[in-house]
Amino acid sequence: FLQALKSEGVEEWRVDLAPLDPATSDHLRKYNLMDISLDPFPYAGTTTTCESLFMGVPCITMRGACHAHNVGVSLMTSVGLDDWIAASEDEYVAIAKRKTSNLLELADLRARLRGQMLKSRLCDAPKFVNELEDTFENLWRRFCEKTSITQKNDLNGGHAN
């Protein structure tokens, strides 16, 4: 992996490949050593992306073709970091270069990112539950309407009135 990064011009000292930490607190402390995190693709990180955001480390993600590719997109959009979402591999690299070139701006974002995440719709459980309840209610209504139409058709010999 390091060889591939070196071939792309990334200096080896800039990358740490760390082993798994048995304690969650040790694992989360490693985020303090990062400037940014990179959401993997085509399958997005999900848990690690949320951890990264909670620990104040912005994450670059890439839009894809299905749900598994787009979890990072949903997370980044929810916390208001749309400009960290790439549409292609080239844009992913360009975002990484651009976002790491202004360390003052990056430090400012890192200082406020946890609070920004906690205030976002991603962490607004009451609103999420209300929207989920509304969705269930709408699905139930549609089911009942469809069932009612089907039952009426059955009573009329398969023909709608």
Side-chain angles (χ1 to χ4, degrees):
F1 184 74
L2 283 175
Q3 204 54 40
L5 290 172
K6 282 171 79 173
S7 72
E8 294 293 327
V10 177
E11 296 154 333
E12 190 173 332
W13 66 268
R14 298 192 71 177
V15 178
D16 287 323
L17 300 176
L20 178 65
D21 284 309
T24 301
S25 58
D26 293 335
H27 166 73
L28 293 176
R29 239 187 314 282
K30 287 224 169 108
Y31 285 98
N32 294 325
L33 304 172
M34 297 178 204
D35 295 317
I36 63 169
S37 67
L38 304 174
D39 201 18
F41 58 85
Y43 190 86
T46 310
T47 300
T48 53
T49 305
C50 286
E51 288 175 348
S52 183
L53 295 171
F54 183 75
M55 294 304 293
V57 179
C59 183
I60 301 170
T61 192
M62 187 164 67
R63 190 174 309 283
C66 67
H67 169 74
H69 302 172
N70 288 302
V71 174
V73 172
S74 177
L75 296 171
M76 300 306 285
T77 300
S78 292
V79 297
L81 297 178
D82 298 64
D83 57 332
W84 288 77
I85 302 169
S88 67
E89 289 181 26
D90 288 341
E91 188 178 6
Y92 190 96
V93 172
I95 291 171
K97 288 179 179 177
R98 185 173 65 253
K99 294 297 186 180
T100 56
S101 67
N102 186 338
L103 296 181
L104 290 176
E105 187 176 300
L106 185 58
D108 177 60
L109 175 59
R110 293 206 50 210
R112 61 184 162 79
L113 186 52
R114 180 182 288 183
Q116 187 172 324
M117 179 189 185
L118 292 173
K119 291 177 189 168
S120 75
R121 77 174 281 159
L122 184 63
C123 295
D124 188 348
K127 183 175 181 176
F128 173 81
V129 170
N130 286 337
E131 290 174 357
L132 185 61
E133 288 172 338
D134 290 345
T135 299
F136 287 155
E137 188 174 322
N138 288 331
L139 289 170
W140 177 247
R141 278 195 188 112
R142 284 182 17 205
F143 170 79
C144 290
E145 289 169 4
K146 184 178 179 182
T147 302
S148 174
I149 291 169
T150 302
Q151 288 173 348
K152 285 180 185 176
N153 286 346
D154 289 344
L155 292 173
N156 292 323
H159 303 291
N161 283 339

